[in-house]
Amino acid sequence: MTEKQPFDPTKATETVWAGEKPYRVHGASQVPVVHSVAFTYEDLDHWYDVATGKAEGHIYGRNTNPTVESFEEKMRILEGAEAATSFSTGMAAISNSLHTFLRPGQRVVSTKDTYGGTNKIFSEFLPQLNIDVQLCETGNHEDMEAEVKKGCDILYLETPTNPTVKITDLNRMVKAASDVGALVFVDNTFATPLNQNPLDFGADLVIHSATKFLGGHADALGGVVCGSKELVEKIYHYREINGATMDPMSAYFLLRGMKTLDLRNERQCASAKELVEFLVDHPAVDQVFYPSLEDHPNHEIAKKQMRRYGGMFSFSLKSGIEGVKAFMPQLEFANRAANLGAVETTVGPARTTSHVENTPEERAALGIPESLVRYSVGIENVEDLKRDLEQALAYIDSSN
Ligand SMILES: *Cc1c(COP(=O)(O)O)cnc(C)c1O
């Protein structure tokens, strides 16, 4: 008998297969949706062992569910983590992770242009708990290092950022944080586990809004956190009591969506690069934000820590918000919506999507022009998308 050799598959294969086999009961080739609020036990001793964590199994749907667990396993493997736990939304993943560890009097260092909801946690909710939050200019590593050095319990990073696609050097910031014993959280939503794995650079926790690229079909909300068993168990405990649990149907949609994550990502990243090159040369366009561009301020860092640059870019128009109002309704193949990362191209002004919670003054302070268009590339044919942009941009000239 030949002995079976250990076999380490690529991430593309993992998106299809990882985390599923133990959950495919009854010989199913897919992970079934287990719609059951509670799990029954005939043997009281067995029930007790499961309830006290001495035996494997499920007790109550707010805590664990087999379909949800399969999704967590797939993500755990894709991020190369020891453990993973999931949430009803990406914001639940972010807020639960922060609240698990932060205590009054502690200090968080982060950047100014994190996701709008995250920014609200930092500017509104954490200060109410007497937690000091210092927000630095994204990409200004010297400033971030100086603030971390002054004292820091959690260094919270998002790279690339939403919507201006700025990049933070993970290696460098992890080093600064470890010098002061701070935990490093990284929101990896824009990159997906295929383009970047923050744990490989020494981050403690990687967080995703599963609502975006992971699901990919804009039909399910979810969030997930991956990291060491020790940290993830603490977050799980906070979540099981606070109740921001992922629904089994959402877990199923996310599992199904993730089977095509690599295919979608390959197409979306290639199209983004091509569309960005087209827009850079367009006379109506002011600035284009995408890390593949040589003149992107952190192009070299992105090249070093990302496998591909992602399916998200943004651009501003010379004609301002009036130009956006003339151009955007003319797009044929784009949903004008607040989400991103879907199979359909999705566009929106930053002021009505990622940063709708902020005032115009706050957006200006974050370096987000009012005419900024966030463009999430779908899986459509790239030539069609280019022609669509071209015909829609032509409306600016005639209307201004
Ligand atoms: C959408 C998003 C979130 C929040 O996720 P929800 O699932 O909408 O709660 C967090 N971070 C980033 C980068 C996002 O794009």
Side-chain angles (χ1 to χ4, degrees):
M1 273 268 279
T2 18
E3 207 182 309
K4 207 156 160 75
Q5 296 298 309
F7 182 76
D8 192 14
T10 61
K11 292 204 185 294
T13 301
E14 282 175 345
T15 59
V16 182
W17 287 97
E20 295 196 12
K21 277 187 183 161
Y23 301 95
R24 293 182 190 173
V25 289
H26 309 302
S29 69
Q30 304 300 318
V31 176
V33 190
V34 181
H35 277 307
S36 184
V37 157
F39 298 80
T40 70
Y41 292 89
E42 303 299 320
D43 181 321
L44 289 187
D45 288 331
H46 183 209
W47 188 5
Y48 179 78
D49 285 348
V50 174
T52 51
K54 290 189 197 82
E56 298 231 333
H58 303 279
I59 297 287
Y60 187 60
R62 173 155 42 74
N63 310 90
T64 63
N65 168 283
T67 316
V68 172
E69 206 171 79
S70 177
F71 164 75
E72 291 167 345
E73 262 303 281
K74 198 186 271 299
M75 280 307 295
R76 180 188 74 72
I77 293 166
L78 281 168
E79 284 292 9
E82 221 172 70
T85 192
S86 63
F87 303 84
S88 52
T89 65
M91 281 315 302
I94 293 166
S95 58
N96 281 251
S97 299
L98 288 167
H99 287 292
T100 297
F101 296 103
L102 286 170
R103 302 288 175 266
Q106 290 193 326
R107 187 162 190 265
V108 177
V109 175
S110 187
T111 55
K112 282 186 182 168
D113 52 354
T114 48
Y115 177 74
T118 310
N119 194 269
K120 275 286 153 195
I121 295 183
F122 291 151
S123 60
E124 187 176 337
F125 295 112
L126 292 184
Q128 288 172 1
L129 301 173
N130 190 27
I131 293 159
D132 179 33
V133 182
Q134 180 64 42
L135 301 182
C136 306
E137 291 298 331
T138 315
N140 184 340
H141 293 85
E142 290 78 20
D143 187 33
M144 274 191 269
E145 280 166 342
E147 288 299 338
V148 167
K149 215 171 191 169
K150 283 183 201 165
C152 174
D153 296 286
I154 291 176
L155 173 64
Y156 185 98
L157 304 173
E158 185 182 317
T159 183
T161 59
N162 182 357
T164 48
V165 216
K166 289 181 190 151
I167 305 290
T168 299
D169 189 329
L170 291 173
N171 252 341
R172 182 168 170 182
M173 292 317 300
V174 161
K175 193 184 169 306
S178 70
D179 286 348
V180 298
L183 292 174
V184 181
F185 296 4
V186 181
D187 182 334
N188 203 31
T189 301
F190 268 36
T192 83
L194 296 181
N195 297 332
Q196 174 176 278
N197 299 111
L199 300 179
D200 291 351
F201 299 96
D204 296 290
L205 289 176
V206 53
I207 305 177
H208 286 274
S209 166
T211 314
K212 313 293 173 54
F213 290 99
L214 297 180
H217 293 70
D219 55 6
L221 294 159
V224 63
V225 174
C226 307
S228 71
K229 207 159 173 271
E230 187 196 343
L231 296 181
V232 170
E233 269 175 5
K234 287 180 181 160
I235 299 169
Y236 163 75
H237 179 59
Y238 188 92
R239 193 269 288 153
E240 70 168 333
I241 302 305
N242 283 273
T245 307
M246 176 177 281
D247 179 80
M249 199 65 214
S250 299
Y252 173 78
F253 281 134
L254 296 170
L255 278 167
R256 187 169 68 168
M258 281 174 69
K259 299 211 179 205
T260 56
L261 180 60
D262 185 65
L263 274 178
R264 287 186 279 114
N265 182 55
E266 200 176 318
R267 166 69 69 91
Q268 287 167 318
C269 294
S271 298
K273 240 175 133 189
E274 225 177 298
L275 295 177
V276 157
E277 279 156 27
F278 162 74
L279 287 168
V280 161
D281 292 329
H282 197 284
V285 172
D286 187 18
Q287 284 176 284
V288 183
F289 304 90
Y290 191 63
S292 79
L293 297 169
E294 300 271 334
D295 65 353
H296 183 288
N298 303 119
H299 170 70
E300 288 305 319
I301 302 168
K303 214 161 117 180
K304 196 180 63 178
Q305 72 191 20
M306 299 181 77
R307 295 184 199 93
R308 290 195 179 105
Y309 300 108
M312 285 292 310
F313 63 85
S314 58
F315 58 99
S316 61
L317 296 174
K318 288 177 185 157
S319 48
I321 188 67
E322 290 311 314
V324 178
K325 285 180 189 170
F327 142 82
M328 204 178 272
Q330 301 302 332
L331 287 168
E332 286 288 327
F333 303 111
N335 281 326
R336 282 148 287 264
N339 67 307
L340 60 93
V343 287
E344 297 91 4
T345 290
T346 309
V347 298
R351 69 172 200 164
T352 37
T353 55
S354 61
H355 287 71
V356 68
E357 287 99 346
N358 301 99
T359 63
E361 294 72 30
E362 283 173 333
R363 282 191 294 272
L366 298 172
I368 297 169
E370 289 298 283
S371 75
L372 192 81
V373 175
R374 190 174 77 176
Y375 195 100
S376 168
V377 190
I379 61 168
E380 301 91 343
N381 176 287
V382 69
E383 290 305 323
D384 290 336
L385 294 180
K386 210 183 287 179
R387 277 189 302 164
D388 197 19
L389 277 167
E390 195 157 28
Q391 65 81 21
L393 285 167
Y395 279 81
I396 296 175
D397 298 328
S398 53
S399 61
N400 284 290

